[in-house]
Amino acid sequence: MNFPRIRSTYLPLAAASFLVLAYNVTFWRKFASAVGGFELAKLPVYIGSCLLLVMVFSGVLALVNYRRLFKPVLIALLLLSSVTAYFMSQYGIVIDASMVQNVLETDTREAGELFSWKLVQAVLLLGVVPSWLVWRLPVQYAPLRRSIAANGGVLAVSLLAAIGLLFLLFKPLAPAVREHRELRFMLTPTNVFQAANAYLKLKLATPTIVAPLGTDASKGRFWSAGGDAPRTVTVIVVGETARAMNFSLNGYARDTNPRLAREPALVNFSNVSSCGTATAVSVPCVFSDLTRNGYSEDKARSKEGLLDVLRHAGLEVVWRDNNSGCKGVCQRVRFEDVSKAVAGNPLCDGEECYDERLLEGLPELIRSSSKDLVIVLHQKGSHGPAYWKRYPAGFGKFGPVCQTNELEQCSREEITAAYDNSILYTDYFLSRTIEVLKEAGVAASMLYFSDHGESLGEKNMYLHGAPYIFSPEEQRKVPMMLWMSDSFSQRFHVNRGCLAARSSQPFSHDNVFHSTLGMLNISTAVYNPKLDLFQACTHDS
């Protein structure tokens, strides 16, 4: 194929136009909504805004418009933009620092579930083919000095034009941009570079020295008053991608919690908000003494967390994982990874293991320890988009179900059915956990909460990870529940009726750190009784 030779000075404008128009369908849809919808009267705003972005992109590309540099840079942008545009269009996500963190900290199994032939087709059509055309395109470059002058001229004209357009469009654009900050996370490919920059700044700012926390922690008066009371075992179950509104305990129409509903000692908290909308944020946050408003990754990583405080108090702490790790919160406690498939194990399907694997050997672990135990079970839960893989065949109660990670091939009803089956399996898993604790012959408790929720097509959004400030309720409202044996509630003087009366009050991940210390009667200066949901329900006698 022969192409006409073109002058290099035209390249930035041509490339900028293609980037703005070909990869930003999601952006332009949101932009149209932000400025009040598509109307002919607003056509100058749409055209002017498009030209404004083209001018800005053109000016930036002029900086790299040199022989042996421009084509590789543009090809990299085309390939990157094709992948970004696909995921934004497919799942309704936006690209920010937390999304970059999710990508870099996920495991290969989770990443593999996002792979599809439609992704391959999108990258071929919008990435590989344009890249091949760019590589084959004959370009006429002037000598270096003339190229520098010409590119400087393109940069100057582009920026002047952009400034002029911004001046003309400021009145309609200012409120749209101010009230819809998510637009900056949707403009491809600048969103990727902005997010990567924010993520790198966060990583580079993270200190390597971890400050101690709660080293004064000790067991309170209820422990010494126990006399010959049996050991205590507390299981903290960290759920994955479970949203509160799909739990029948919270009023959902489908019976997704048949077993837990029959557990009289269970207290279900129906109005709980997460710290973040992604595991990489919520898990470090919920195990820190920081509230959501005060949380940042560098702050959380710079000091110890809840598990360390419990360890300082003399409890043995174990983290069992069927997910992609503990995100740094279990570095100084015993860690057991059960996520890798084991041949011949009926709880594994060849690629991964179901959450029941977390219970394998749990009775033996409880019996073998002579100390009071805190065991964290980190579920695979309802992680998408392959919801149908999260539960054994016997739990396919609702259907028909979506059995592909290409969610556009399924109806919302099929996607929701698969998701609800995963919640049904979580109900079974939590019920089995309680059975293990009942049979252990110890004073036992189980605290369950999910790290974040999930979008299942509401407002054309799927999965999770939206920036918290404008994330939908489906990604923020999470289930939380507590079970205590009679001997546990008696030993620590916890009034379950009082807890049940408070169960509909608004709580959040902010309460978990201090409530765990309060429930276990751990005395330490870092404990804040105002954030302890047990404090009002604990009696001295």
Side-chain angles (χ1 to χ4, degrees):
M1 183 180 295
N2 295 320
F3 297 97
R5 183 176 292 271
I6 67 170
R7 294 177 60 182
S8 63
T9 49
Y10 299 144
L11 291 178
L13 181 61
S17 300
F18 187 73
L19 286 169
V20 169
L21 295 173
Y23 302 102
N24 283 289
V25 174
T26 301
F27 171 83
W28 289 118
R29 284 176 179 166
K30 184 64 179 180
F31 179 83
S33 174
V35 297
F38 185 82
E39 299 175 3
L40 288 177
K42 292 189 170 97
L43 193 58
V45 176
Y46 304 139
I47 295 175
S49 300
C50 182
L51 290 174
L52 171 61
L53 292 177
V54 168
M55 290 298 102
V56 173
F57 279 29
S58 177
V60 173
L61 290 172
L63 297 173
V64 295
N65 187 22
Y66 297 97
R67 193 190 307 271
R68 296 189 180 88
L69 178 61
F70 185 80
K71 284 187 177 183
V73 169
L74 181 57
I75 288 171
L77 289 176
L78 294 172
L79 294 172
L80 179 65
S81 297
S82 66
V83 175
T84 303
Y86 168 81
F87 282 108
M88 290 178 62
S89 175
Q90 182 79 355
Y91 299 114
I93 64 171
V94 296
I95 308 299
D96 65 346
S98 63
M99 188 61 65
V100 172
Q101 184 178 25
N102 292 338
V103 171
L104 295 178
E105 295 186 8
T106 192
D107 58 28
T108 55
R109 293 189 300 275
E110 289 182 358
E113 290 179 359
L114 295 172
F115 177 85
S116 67
W117 287 114
K118 189 170 182 180
L119 170 61
V120 174
Q121 293 169 7
V123 173
L124 285 173
L125 180 62
L126 291 175
V128 174
V129 172
S131 296
W132 179 80
L133 293 174
V134 167
W135 188 255
R136 295 283 298 168
L137 186 67
V139 181
Q140 181 182 344
Y141 279 99
L144 182 58
R145 288 187 179 181
R146 286 176 56 190
S147 291
I148 293 174
N151 291 333
V154 172
L155 174 61
V157 170
S158 298
L159 294 183
L160 286 173
I163 292 171
L165 287 166
L166 182 60
F167 178 79
L168 292 173
L169 299 169
F170 185 80
K171 186 175 181 179
L173 287 184
V177 173
R178 183 172 60 250
E179 295 174 16
H180 297 273
R181 295 174 56 193
E182 66 271 24
L183 285 169
R184 63 193 177 102
F185 301 123
M186 296 180 174
L187 183 61
T188 303
T190 59
N191 51 2
V192 178
F193 294 104
Q194 176 181 264
N197 178 62
Y199 175 75
L200 287 174
K201 282 184 177 179
L202 180 65
K203 283 299 181 183
L204 292 174
T206 301
T208 56
I209 299 176
V210 179
L213 180 73
T215 54
D216 64 330
S218 61
K219 297 176 178 178
R221 63 188 185 280
F222 295 151
W223 292 85
S224 58
D228 296 328
R231 291 186 301 115
T232 66
V233 175
T234 294
V235 172
I236 300 175
V237 180
V238 182
E240 172 65 53
T241 321
R243 65 186 205 175
M245 61 190 63
N246 286 59
F247 277 59
S248 55
L249 288 174
N250 295 324
Y252 188 53
R254 280 179 171 162
D255 189 12
T256 53
N257 303 127
R259 290 173 174 267
L260 292 175
R262 297 194 299 267
E263 183 52 62
L266 189 78
V267 179
N268 176 62
F269 298 93
S270 59
N271 189 9
V272 181
S273 300
S274 66
C275 184
T277 62
T279 305
V281 174
S282 283
V283 169
C285 181
V286 74
F287 282 95
S288 76
D289 65 334
L290 304 167
T291 62
R292 190 188 72 79
N293 290 332
Y295 173 81
S296 67
E297 185 181 0
D298 59 324
K299 288 181 182 178
R301 289 180 182 268
S302 67
K303 59 180 176 179
E304 295 177 340
L306 173 62
L307 303 186
D308 300 287
V309 178
L310 297 174
R311 184 171 52 87
H312 293 321
L315 282 71
E316 182 179 355
V317 182
V318 181
W319 182 290
R320 301 189 118 195
D321 202 277
N322 191 35
N323 205 303
S324 56
C326 67
K327 310 306 177 187
V329 304
C330 64
Q331 290 181 341
R332 292 163 294 278
V333 303
R334 177 177 165 186
F335 178 81
E336 298 178 357
D337 184 3
V338 302
S339 65
K340 295 177 176 58
V342 176
N345 190 318
L347 297 178
C348 302
D349 67 355
E351 297 178 359
E352 60 183 57
C353 296
Y354 300 116
D355 282 331
E356 283 176 90
R357 182 110 196 276
L358 289 164
L359 303 181
E360 279 192 335
L362 188 60
E364 291 77 11
L365 172 62
I366 294 172
R367 286 196 301 269
S368 64
S369 177
S370 59
K371 291 185 175 182
D372 297 289
L373 273 170
V374 173
I375 304 168
V376 183
L377 306 179
H378 189 194
Q379 286 184 270
K380 188 73 172 181
S382 302
H383 197 281
Y387 306 116
W388 85 95
K389 291 185 177 181
R390 302 288 91 89
Y391 54 89
F395 291 85
K397 177 180 179 180
F398 310 110
V401 302
C402 179
Q403 297 193 47
T404 174
N405 56 1
E406 298 182 36
L407 298 182
E408 80 285 353
Q409 295 185 13
C410 302
S411 66
R412 279 191 58 191
E413 291 75 17
E414 291 170 332
I415 295 169
T416 303
Y419 181 85
D420 286 346
N421 287 333
S422 72
I423 299 298
L424 182 68
Y425 181 56
T426 287
D427 172 82
Y428 173 78
F429 169 77
L430 294 176
S431 177
R432 286 277 293 110
T433 303
I434 292 172
E435 289 175 7
V436 170
L437 293 176
K438 286 179 178 179
E439 296 168 0
V442 295
S445 65
M446 182 198 75
L447 176 65
Y448 165 79
F449 54 84
S450 182
D451 57 353
H452 55 78
E454 184 86 330
S455 288
L456 298 175
E458 299 86 2
K459 300 177 183 177
N460 202 35
M461 295 183 70
Y462 293 89
L463 305 183
H464 53 268
Y468 201 93
I469 191 170
F470 57 86
S471 61
E473 187 179 65
E474 292 83 3
Q475 296 187 29
R476 288 183 281 108
K477 289 295 184 179
V478 295
M480 186 168 81
M481 58 192 71
L482 170 74
W483 174 86
M484 293 181 292
S485 67
D486 291 339
S487 57
F488 186 95
S489 61
Q490 291 166 7
R491 179 167 190 177
F492 293 107
H493 299 207
V494 178
N495 187 327
R496 283 187 298 222
C498 172
L499 288 177
R502 304 187 69 206
S503 62
S504 61
Q505 294 181 13
F507 294 110
S508 73
H509 280 171
D510 291 353
N511 298 102
V512 171
F513 180 97
H514 303 282
S515 297
T516 303
L517 296 179
M519 180 181 72
L520 290 171
N521 190 219
I522 302 299
S523 176
T524 172
V526 300
Y527 165 71
N528 182 354
K530 293 181 179 179
L531 291 176
D532 176 12
L533 62 86
F534 293 96
Q535 201 271 338
C537 297
T538 303
H539 52 88
D540 291 327
S541 58

